[in-house]
Each structure stands twice: as structure tokens, then as C-alpha cells.
Short mmCIF file of all heavy atoms in Angstrom, two decimals:
data_model
loop_
_atom_site.label_atom_id
_atom_site.label_comp_id
_atom_site.label_asym_id
_atom_site.label_seq_id
_atom_site.Cartn_x
_atom_site.Cartn_y
_atom_site.Cartn_z
N ARG A 1 0.80 -1.21 0.01
CA ARG A 1 -0.01 0.01 -0.01
C ARG A 1 0.84 1.26 0.01
O ARG A 1 0.45 2.35 0.47
CB ARG A 1 -0.99 -0.01 1.20
CG ARG A 1 -1.94 -1.21 1.21
CD ARG A 1 -2.89 -1.10 2.34
NE ARG A 1 -3.80 0.01 2.19
CZ ARG A 1 -4.91 -0.02 1.45
NH1 ARG A 1 -5.25 -1.13 0.84
NH2 ARG A 1 -5.71 1.02 1.35
N ALA A 2 2.07 1.18 -0.50
CA ALA A 2 2.93 2.37 -0.65
C ALA A 2 2.41 3.19 -1.83
O ALA A 2 1.76 2.72 -2.76
CB ALA A 2 4.36 1.92 -0.87
N HIS A 3 2.77 4.49 -1.77
CA HIS A 3 2.42 5.41 -2.87
C HIS A 3 3.58 5.49 -3.80
O HIS A 3 4.49 6.31 -3.63
CB HIS A 3 2.09 6.80 -2.23
CG HIS A 3 1.87 7.84 -3.30
ND1 HIS A 3 1.18 7.70 -4.47
CD2 HIS A 3 2.28 9.18 -3.28
CE1 HIS A 3 1.15 8.79 -5.17
NE2 HIS A 3 1.81 9.74 -4.49
N THR A 4 3.61 4.61 -4.82
CA THR A 4 4.76 4.57 -5.71
C THR A 4 4.64 5.63 -6.78
O THR A 4 3.61 6.04 -7.24
CB THR A 4 4.82 3.19 -6.42
OG1 THR A 4 3.63 2.93 -7.11
CG2 THR A 4 5.11 2.10 -5.39
N MET A 5 5.81 6.18 -7.20
CA MET A 5 5.88 7.21 -8.18
C MET A 5 5.63 6.61 -9.57
O MET A 5 5.96 5.45 -9.81
CB MET A 5 7.25 7.91 -8.18
CG MET A 5 7.60 8.61 -6.88
SD MET A 5 6.41 9.90 -6.40
CE MET A 5 5.42 9.04 -5.14
N PRO A 6 5.00 7.37 -10.50
CA PRO A 6 4.75 6.85 -11.87
C PRO A 6 5.98 6.36 -12.58
O PRO A 6 5.94 5.38 -13.32
CB PRO A 6 4.07 8.06 -12.54
CG PRO A 6 3.52 8.88 -11.47
CD PRO A 6 4.47 8.75 -10.30
N THR A 7 7.09 7.09 -12.39
CA THR A 7 8.32 6.74 -13.07
C THR A 7 9.19 5.89 -12.20
O THR A 7 9.49 6.23 -11.02
CB THR A 7 9.13 8.00 -13.46
OG1 THR A 7 8.34 8.83 -14.36
CG2 THR A 7 10.42 7.63 -14.17
N ALA A 8 9.62 4.70 -12.69
CA ALA A 8 10.56 3.81 -11.99
C ALA A 8 11.77 3.74 -12.91
O ALA A 8 11.67 3.77 -14.13
CB ALA A 8 9.93 2.48 -11.72
N ILE A 9 12.94 3.57 -12.33
CA ILE A 9 14.20 3.68 -13.11
C ILE A 9 14.92 2.36 -13.11
O ILE A 9 15.26 1.83 -12.05
CB ILE A 9 15.11 4.77 -12.53
CG1 ILE A 9 14.41 6.14 -12.62
CG2 ILE A 9 16.45 4.85 -13.26
CD1 ILE A 9 13.57 6.53 -11.46
N TYR A 10 15.18 1.87 -14.30
CA TYR A 10 16.00 0.66 -14.50
C TYR A 10 17.30 1.04 -15.20
O TYR A 10 17.31 1.83 -16.13
CB TYR A 10 15.27 -0.34 -15.38
CG TYR A 10 16.03 -1.64 -15.63
CD1 TYR A 10 15.99 -2.68 -14.63
CD2 TYR A 10 16.81 -1.84 -16.74
CE1 TYR A 10 16.71 -3.86 -14.86
CE2 TYR A 10 17.50 -2.98 -16.92
CZ TYR A 10 17.50 -3.99 -16.00
OH TYR A 10 18.20 -5.09 -16.19
N ALA A 11 18.44 0.51 -14.70
CA ALA A 11 19.72 0.77 -15.29
C ALA A 11 20.47 -0.54 -15.63
O ALA A 11 20.67 -1.37 -14.78
CB ALA A 11 20.57 1.59 -14.29
N SER A 12 20.79 -0.67 -16.93
CA SER A 12 21.55 -1.79 -17.39
C SER A 12 22.96 -1.30 -17.71
O SER A 12 23.20 -0.10 -17.73
CB SER A 12 20.90 -2.43 -18.62
OG SER A 12 20.76 -1.47 -19.64
N PRO A 13 23.93 -2.19 -17.99
CA PRO A 13 25.30 -1.71 -18.28
C PRO A 13 25.37 -0.65 -19.35
O PRO A 13 26.21 0.28 -19.24
CB PRO A 13 26.01 -3.02 -18.65
CG PRO A 13 25.29 -4.10 -17.92
CD PRO A 13 23.85 -3.66 -17.92
N GLU A 14 24.60 -0.80 -20.40
CA GLU A 14 24.69 0.17 -21.50
C GLU A 14 24.15 1.53 -21.13
O GLU A 14 24.38 2.53 -21.82
CB GLU A 14 23.96 -0.33 -22.75
CG GLU A 14 22.50 -0.74 -22.52
CD GLU A 14 22.32 -2.21 -22.24
OE1 GLU A 14 23.23 -2.83 -21.67
OE2 GLU A 14 21.22 -2.73 -22.59
N ASP A 15 23.36 1.60 -20.03
CA ASP A 15 22.80 2.91 -19.60
C ASP A 15 23.88 3.81 -18.98
O ASP A 15 23.80 5.03 -19.09
CB ASP A 15 21.69 2.73 -18.57
CG ASP A 15 20.42 2.19 -19.23
OD1 ASP A 15 20.04 2.73 -20.26
OD2 ASP A 15 19.79 1.30 -18.63
N TRP A 16 24.89 3.21 -18.32
CA TRP A 16 25.90 4.03 -17.69
C TRP A 16 26.77 4.66 -18.74
O TRP A 16 27.30 4.00 -19.59
CB TRP A 16 26.77 3.15 -16.73
CG TRP A 16 25.91 2.47 -15.70
CD1 TRP A 16 25.58 1.18 -15.57
CD2 TRP A 16 25.31 3.12 -14.54
NE1 TRP A 16 24.80 0.92 -14.50
CE2 TRP A 16 24.61 2.08 -13.83
CE3 TRP A 16 25.24 4.41 -14.05
CZ2 TRP A 16 23.90 2.33 -12.68
CZ3 TRP A 16 24.51 4.67 -12.89
CH2 TRP A 16 23.87 3.64 -12.22
N GLY A 17 26.91 5.95 -18.65
CA GLY A 17 27.67 6.72 -19.66
C GLY A 17 26.93 7.01 -20.92
O GLY A 17 27.53 7.56 -21.86
N GLN A 18 25.66 6.68 -20.96
CA GLN A 18 24.84 6.98 -22.13
C GLN A 18 24.64 8.49 -22.28
O GLN A 18 24.47 9.18 -21.25
CB GLN A 18 23.50 6.25 -22.07
CG GLN A 18 22.67 6.35 -23.29
CD GLN A 18 21.29 5.64 -23.07
OE1 GLN A 18 20.46 6.16 -22.35
NE2 GLN A 18 21.10 4.49 -23.73
N SER A 19 24.60 9.01 -23.48
CA SER A 19 24.38 10.41 -23.67
C SER A 19 23.02 10.83 -23.21
O SER A 19 22.04 10.01 -23.24
CB SER A 19 24.53 10.76 -25.18
OG SER A 19 23.61 10.02 -25.95
N SER A 20 22.88 12.04 -22.75
CA SER A 20 21.60 12.51 -22.25
C SER A 20 20.55 12.62 -23.38
O SER A 20 20.91 12.79 -24.52
CB SER A 20 21.80 13.92 -21.56
OG SER A 20 22.28 14.84 -22.51
N GLY A 21 19.31 12.52 -22.98
CA GLY A 21 18.22 12.59 -23.94
C GLY A 21 16.95 12.09 -23.23
O GLY A 21 16.94 11.73 -22.04
N VAL A 22 15.84 12.16 -23.94
CA VAL A 22 14.58 11.82 -23.32
C VAL A 22 14.50 10.33 -22.95
O VAL A 22 13.65 9.90 -22.16
CB VAL A 22 13.40 12.14 -24.23
CG1 VAL A 22 13.29 13.66 -24.43
CG2 VAL A 22 13.51 11.47 -25.59
N THR A 23 15.38 9.52 -23.44
CA THR A 23 15.43 8.11 -23.08
C THR A 23 16.65 7.71 -22.27
O THR A 23 16.81 6.61 -21.85
CB THR A 23 15.44 7.22 -24.31
OG1 THR A 23 16.58 7.47 -25.12
CG2 THR A 23 14.19 7.46 -25.19
N GLY A 24 17.49 8.71 -21.97
CA GLY A 24 18.73 8.45 -21.24
C GLY A 24 18.48 8.27 -19.76
O GLY A 24 17.46 8.69 -19.20
N LEU A 25 19.44 7.60 -19.12
CA LEU A 25 19.31 7.29 -17.66
C LEU A 25 19.21 8.56 -16.86
O LEU A 25 18.41 8.68 -15.93
CB LEU A 25 20.53 6.45 -17.20
CG LEU A 25 20.55 6.13 -15.70
CD1 LEU A 25 19.32 5.25 -15.33
CD2 LEU A 25 21.84 5.30 -15.41
N GLU A 26 20.02 9.55 -17.20
CA GLU A 26 20.02 10.83 -16.46
C GLU A 26 18.62 11.48 -16.50
O GLU A 26 18.13 12.01 -15.51
CB GLU A 26 21.07 11.76 -17.04
CG GLU A 26 21.20 13.05 -16.27
CD GLU A 26 22.29 14.00 -16.87
OE1 GLU A 26 23.13 13.48 -17.64
OE2 GLU A 26 22.31 15.19 -16.55
N PHE A 27 17.98 11.46 -17.67
CA PHE A 27 16.69 12.06 -17.82
C PHE A 27 15.68 11.29 -16.96
O PHE A 27 14.82 11.89 -16.29
CB PHE A 27 16.24 12.01 -19.28
CG PHE A 27 14.88 12.55 -19.52
CD1 PHE A 27 14.61 13.90 -19.68
CD2 PHE A 27 13.80 11.66 -19.56
CE1 PHE A 27 13.34 14.38 -19.89
CE2 PHE A 27 12.50 12.15 -19.80
CZ PHE A 27 12.26 13.48 -19.95
N ARG A 28 15.74 9.96 -17.04
CA ARG A 28 14.76 9.19 -16.26
C ARG A 28 14.96 9.39 -14.74
O ARG A 28 13.97 9.39 -13.99
CB ARG A 28 14.90 7.70 -16.64
CG ARG A 28 14.34 7.39 -18.00
CD ARG A 28 14.51 5.91 -18.37
NE ARG A 28 15.82 5.65 -18.92
CZ ARG A 28 16.60 4.63 -18.57
NH1 ARG A 28 16.25 3.81 -17.60
NH2 ARG A 28 17.75 4.48 -19.15
N ILE A 29 16.21 9.46 -14.32
CA ILE A 29 16.47 9.72 -12.89
C ILE A 29 15.89 11.07 -12.47
O ILE A 29 15.23 11.15 -11.45
CB ILE A 29 17.98 9.69 -12.64
CG1 ILE A 29 18.50 8.24 -12.71
CG2 ILE A 29 18.34 10.29 -11.25
CD1 ILE A 29 20.02 8.15 -12.57
N SER A 30 16.12 12.07 -13.30
CA SER A 30 15.55 13.41 -12.97
C SER A 30 14.03 13.41 -12.98
O SER A 30 13.43 14.01 -12.10
CB SER A 30 16.07 14.40 -14.01
OG SER A 30 15.54 15.72 -13.75
N GLN A 31 13.41 12.67 -13.86
CA GLN A 31 11.95 12.65 -13.93
C GLN A 31 11.38 11.97 -12.65
O GLN A 31 10.45 12.47 -12.04
CB GLN A 31 11.52 11.88 -15.16
CG GLN A 31 10.00 11.84 -15.34
CD GLN A 31 9.59 11.36 -16.71
OE1 GLN A 31 9.96 12.00 -17.73
NE2 GLN A 31 8.85 10.29 -16.77
N GLY A 32 11.94 10.78 -12.33
CA GLY A 32 11.42 10.12 -11.16
C GLY A 32 11.71 10.88 -9.85
O GLY A 32 10.84 10.95 -8.97
N ALA A 33 12.88 11.51 -9.80
CA ALA A 33 13.23 12.28 -8.59
C ALA A 33 12.33 13.48 -8.45
O ALA A 33 11.91 13.89 -7.37
CB ALA A 33 14.70 12.72 -8.68
N GLY A 34 12.01 14.13 -9.58
CA GLY A 34 11.08 15.24 -9.54
C GLY A 34 9.71 14.88 -9.04
O GLY A 34 9.03 15.63 -8.29
N GLU A 35 9.25 13.68 -9.46
CA GLU A 35 7.96 13.22 -8.96
C GLU A 35 7.92 13.01 -7.43
O GLU A 35 6.98 13.36 -6.78
CB GLU A 35 7.57 11.93 -9.64
CG GLU A 35 7.27 12.13 -11.17
CD GLU A 35 7.21 10.79 -11.94
OE1 GLU A 35 7.42 9.73 -11.35
OE2 GLU A 35 6.96 10.90 -13.16
N LEU A 36 9.02 12.41 -6.91
CA LEU A 36 9.07 12.17 -5.51
C LEU A 36 9.17 13.49 -4.74
O LEU A 36 8.46 13.69 -3.71
CB LEU A 36 10.27 11.26 -5.14
CG LEU A 36 10.38 10.90 -3.63
CD1 LEU A 36 9.15 10.11 -3.20
CD2 LEU A 36 11.68 10.11 -3.37
#
């Protein structure tokens, strides 16, 4: 019964060091963090 944020973040090896963009790990982290 936790209130989970709409965005959840998954990171695979290819995500680390990936260039920024709407599908990049950095963007997803920022989006989820902003929701919390």
C-alpha cells in the first residue's frame, strides 16, 4: 500500500555513460526524482 511514483528507473550496463536525452538514464532519474 505504498504510494509509488509513476516513473521507475531501471539501469543496465549500457545505460551508464549513455548520452543525455529523453530516453537516457540521467533524464529518467531526474523525472522520477522530480515526482518524489
